Amino acid sequence: MANLRRALVFTIPRILNSSNRTSVTTSTLHSHNLYRPFAGTFSRFLSSNEASSLNNIDLSDEESKRRLFNRLIYRSKQRGYLELDLVLGKWVEEHIQSMDENGIKSLVHVLDLENPDLWKWLTGQEQPPDAINTNPVFSAVHEKVMNNLDKHASPETRAVPGKPWVRGWDDIKKGRDAPIAGNQ
């Protein structure tokens, strides 16, 4: 939202200034640049480097391989969802060196998924779509998450599949039936 607001703030003066110009060629040139800030807000989604990395993965050159691996490790560790940052970041660091081109394409596909959906699918709160479920990277990360859950948390503490996890406290409910402290 802030990016959209910023784009509009910078775009409106350009629109007003470009209407004063008389030359058709300069106005068309400026109108092309007019939308640049707005398109720049979506650069994370529309980046030509990201789109071409799916089609042209070059693992023969060590420098391009290092850049690609660093970019994917960064994307896996900086998702903005702490749980996924830790789970995906650690898994990608451990396994990226042994991946081939198809494995990297599968990894990019997993990294392009939305955080809440990916977290629910990885933890078994919801069933993933078949296209995601057959992804080898997703399957490996899902297996690791479920093994860790089985090791460190008893099944009674987890939500039934299809229902969200309970936070353990309730900030909204303040009535007589509210928990005294901590767990519900």
Side-chain angles (χ1 to χ4, degrees), residues 21-89:
R21 302 207 167 119
T22 58
S23 172
V24 174
T25 57
T26 57
S27 65
T28 57
L29 288 176
H30 289 290
S31 67
H32 175 70
N33 291 334
L34 185 67
Y35 299 106
R36 181 174 232 136
F38 186 72
T41 60
F42 298 105
S43 63
R44 185 176 126 208
F45 304 109
L46 302 174
S47 173
S48 61
N49 292 339
E50 292 296 325
S52 65
S53 69
L54 274 176
N55 298 329
N56 301 329
I57 294 176
D58 181 23
L59 299 177
S60 61
D61 181 21
E62 287 301 316
E63 182 62 23
S64 62
K65 185 177 180 180
R66 183 188 65 77
R67 284 184 190 155
L68 176 65
F69 286 178
N70 286 343
R71 189 169 63 231
L72 292 176
I73 289 170
Y74 181 82
R75 282 186 65 194
S76 66
K77 287 184 169 187
Q78 301 294 326
R79 297 186 60 87
Y81 213 77
L82 179 62
E83 296 86 352
L84 284 175
D85 293 347
L86 297 172
V87 169
L88 279 176

Side-chain angles (χ1 to χ4, degrees), residues 116-117 119-129 138 142 160-164:
D117 294 333
W119 182 248
K120 288 176 185 176
W121 296 333
L122 285 174
T123 57
Q125 295 177 48
E126 292 181 3
Q127 285 294 332
F138 175 81
H142 176 67
V160 179
K163 291 193 175 185

Side-chain angles (χ1 to χ4, degrees), residues 101-112:
E101 186 175 337
N102 290 330
I104 290 176
K105 286 182 181 179
S106 298
L107 173 63
V108 170
H109 181 64
V110 168
L111 292 176
D112 287 340

Side-chain angles (χ1 to χ4, degrees), residues 148-159:
N148 282 340
L149 278 173
D150 291 338
K151 269 190 229 174
H152 301 291
S154 62
E156 300 87 40
T157 62
R158 292 186 234 151

